[in-house]
């Protein structure tokens, strides 16, 4: 198969077994399986035949210098080799912290996610759709880790698209956290338009409404309890018009799974219907789409949401009730949090959440209008 030599007619899923056998440590929010469950679930449902799956390459250190400093890449490799860091390296590169711990695959795993996103960018440059759920690490900086992100694969993917000659790219980020690393990468860019919706007053505390990154960004911080109706307004009146007005040749979507109600690291209250609708809407706006993962710290929420993203991209109907092969994969998951002891039945038997409708708060209407006025 030579999907890279012509326009891809069908989307590709980029994955790797490294996500199954590596962990950030038993007490870290990323102790849970995520990409491996999505792969297992999509295969069990018959949605992921071998010809649609690509094993993610690991990016070479030299390729990572498209965004990261050689010094930092060297420090990250050295930390993996030695399985410890000095105080100086910790202070300088934020490696070996509680958020960004030393673990056995701490270079190879993020380099695999980065390699997947860069391959995805190369593939879609000719047209097509690629999904790399292991990507989406939007907090990485050129010379330091941040928020569980050692490298910044979205920035690397966007730079790859620019190097391929594309000149107008839209980056949409619907993770619960602001994409501080990506925003810093393309501050002041005419080519890249960044649109982020994230929880207000939450780490990393960047991405204020007034922050436009030198004209390159639209930031919408949203209040706790954000519901599906509120998100629908944001999608229709802010995200989609901001993307369309940029006339992008390609769209990169960071589809973090931590803005749903059951996520332990945010206080937003969306259902996964919102994410799937965003994926479908963006797909209709572009001949080139790269969809990445991101946050997501409830193993059932992540598996269900990201499997539904693949169904949406690949044209499979999401069943109301999962067949036994699918349910058995969700039943094998464990989680050290209290909710993990007795997961609610819908987490085990369905992919689609019940919609979480509600009133649209005035503050959201006002802020959406402020951003719309800037377009
Ligand atoms: Zn997040």
């Amino acid at each position: 198969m030579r999907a890279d030599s012509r326009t891809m007619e069908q989307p590709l899923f980029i994955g790797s077994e490294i996500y199954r056998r590596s962990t950030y440590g038993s007490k870290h929010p990323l102790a849970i399986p995520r990409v491996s469950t999505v792969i297992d679930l999509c295969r069990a449902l018959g949605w992921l035949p071998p010809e649609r799956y690509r094993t993610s390459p690991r990016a070479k250190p030299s390729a990572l210098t498209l965004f990261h400093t050689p010094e930092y890449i060297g420090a990250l490799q050295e930390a993996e080799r030695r399985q410890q860091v000095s105080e100086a390296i910790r202070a300088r590169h934020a490696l070996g912290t509680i958020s960004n711990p030393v673990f056995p695959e701490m270079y190879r795993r993020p380099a695999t996610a980065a390699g997947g996103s860069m391959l995805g960018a190369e593939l879609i440059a000719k047209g097509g759709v690629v999904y790399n759920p292991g990507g989406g690490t939007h907090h990485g900086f050129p010379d330091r880790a941040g928020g569980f992100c050692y490298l910044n694969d979205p920035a690397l993917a966007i730079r790859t698209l620019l190097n391929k000659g594309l000149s107008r790219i839209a980056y949409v980020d619907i993770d619960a956290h602001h994409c501080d690393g990506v925003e810093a990468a393309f501050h002041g860019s005419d080519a890249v338009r960044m649109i982020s919706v994230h929880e207000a007053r939450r780490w990393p505390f960047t991405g204020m409404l007034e922050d436009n990154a030198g004209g390159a960004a639209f930031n919408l911080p949203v209040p706790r309890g954000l519901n599906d109706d509120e998100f629908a307004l944001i999608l229709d009146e802010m995200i989609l018009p901001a993307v369309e007005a940029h006339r992008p040749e390609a769209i990169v979507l960071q589809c973090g799974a931590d803005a749903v109600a059951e996520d332990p690291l945010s206080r937003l209250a969306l259902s996964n219907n919102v994410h799937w609708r965003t994926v479908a809407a963006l797909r209709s706006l572009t001949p080139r789409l790269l969809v990445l993962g991101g946050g997501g710290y409830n193993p059932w929420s992540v598996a269900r949401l990201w499997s539904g993203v693949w169904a949406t991209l690949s044209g499979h109907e999401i069943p109301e009730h999962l067949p036994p092969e699918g349910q058995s994969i969700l039943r094998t998951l464990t989680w050290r949090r209290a909710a993990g002891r007795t997961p609610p039945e819908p987490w085990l038997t369905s992919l689609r959440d019940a919609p979480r409708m509600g009133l649209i708060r005035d503050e959201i209407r006002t802020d959406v209008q402020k951003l719309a006025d800037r377009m």
Side-chain angles (χ1 to χ4, degrees):
M1 189 188 67
R2 295 287 304 279
D4 47 351
S5 64
R6 55 179 168 79
T7 299
M8 288 179 290
E9 277 134 33
Q10 294 200 54
L12 282 180
F13 184 120
I14 296 180
S16 169
E17 288 301 305
I18 198 168
Y19 305 112
R20 188 186 307 276
R21 51 188 168 76
S22 62
T23 163
Y24 279 49
S26 63
K27 296 200 168 126
H28 194 280
L30 284 177
I32 59 168
R34 306 191 316 156
V35 175
S36 53
T37 317
V38 175
I39 292 171
D40 293 346
L41 205 42
C42 289
R43 283 185 178 148
L45 294 168
W47 296 348
L48 194 51
E51 65 271 21
R52 300 261 62 82
Y53 180 86
R54 282 285 184 97
T55 297
S56 182
R58 186 194 308 160
K60 296 204 163 50
S62 58
L64 297 172
T65 60
L66 198 53
F67 180 65
H68 296 280
T69 65
E71 184 198 14
Y72 174 61
I73 297 162
L76 183 56
Q77 290 183 288
E78 178 76 0
E80 179 175 281
R81 252 191 317 269
R82 295 181 52 209
Q83 286 298 295
Q84 57 178 331
V85 294
S86 66
E87 272 308 322
I89 292 292
R90 184 175 296 125
R92 181 165 194 149
H93 299 303
L95 296 173
T97 64
I98 291 174
S99 286
N100 316 311
V102 172
F103 70 96
E105 301 85 0
M106 66 185 288
Y107 168 75
R108 284 168 290 163
R109 176 167 156 155
T112 300
S117 292
M118 293 170 88
L119 172 63
E122 280 172 21
L123 292 170
I124 69 160
K126 295 193 181 77
V129 176
V130 172
Y131 183 34
N132 178 28
T137 54
H138 56 175
H139 299 305
F141 278 79
D143 61 353
R144 69 183 152 89
F148 319 157
C149 304
Y150 298 81
L151 300 170
N152 192 319
D153 67 277
L156 288 161
I158 293 168
R159 290 246 165 111
T160 302
L161 289 168
L162 294 170
N163 282 353
K164 285 271 170 192
L166 275 71
S167 58
R168 308 186 68 80
I169 295 161
Y171 171 76
V172 178
D173 190 312
I174 57 173
D175 190 279
H177 302 89
H178 177 246
C179 48
D180 55 349
V182 180
E183 182 174 300
F186 301 105
H187 185 105
S189 172
D190 293 327
V192 182
R193 171 167 287 184
M194 301 171 282
I195 301 149
S196 177
V197 179
H198 44 270
E199 187 176 344
R201 292 175 290 282
R202 178 165 298 285
W203 190 91
F205 306 108
T206 48
M208 304 297 216
L209 187 71
E210 303 73 28
D211 162 22
N212 70 358
F218 289 79
N219 279 307
L220 182 66
V222 292
R224 282 183 176 189
L226 185 76
N227 65 52
D228 287 7
D229 286 325
E230 289 174 327
F231 193 93
L233 174 91
I234 292 165
L235 181 66
D236 293 336
E237 309 216 345
M238 197 279 281
I239 298 175
L240 298 179
V243 169
E244 283 189 278
H246 189 58
R247 293 180 288 111
E249 295 161 324
I251 299 175
V252 177
L253 170 65
Q254 198 272 18
C255 194
D258 51 5
V260 294
E262 307 84 2
D263 191 273
L265 264 57
S266 84
R267 298 291 289 274
L268 303 179
L270 299 177
S271 81
N272 55 25
N273 295 278
V274 152
H275 301 75
W276 302 341
R277 201 186 144 215
T278 303
V279 169
L282 292 176
R283 177 70 189 95
S284 72
L285 291 185
T286 181
R288 301 176 189 88
L289 176 64
L290 176 62
V291 179
L292 310 174
Y297 307 98
N298 173 324
W300 288 279
S301 298
V302 178
R304 295 163 68 244
L305 195 159
W306 287 354
S307 297
V309 167
W310 177 244
T312 304
L313 291 173
S314 58
H316 289 98
E317 182 128 2
I318 296 170
E320 284 311 307
H321 213 73
L322 278 177
E325 310 85 88
Q327 290 191 26
S328 67
I329 288 157
L330 291 171
R331 286 183 196 282
T332 62
L333 294 174
T334 57
W335 198 27
R336 57 193 289 275
R337 289 187 167 250
R341 284 197 284 277
T342 49
E345 198 60 16
W347 294 8
L348 307 173
T349 59
S350 70
L351 292 187
R352 187 185 297 280
D353 292 331
R356 301 197 178 104
M357 318 310 265
L359 288 176
I360 300 176
R361 284 166 280 184
D362 287 341
E363 61 185 294
I364 292 175
R365 287 187 194 279
T366 303
D367 288 353
V368 164
Q369 191 56 50
K370 280 182 189 161
L371 293 177
D373 289 345
R374 265 184 46 206
M375 283 169 209

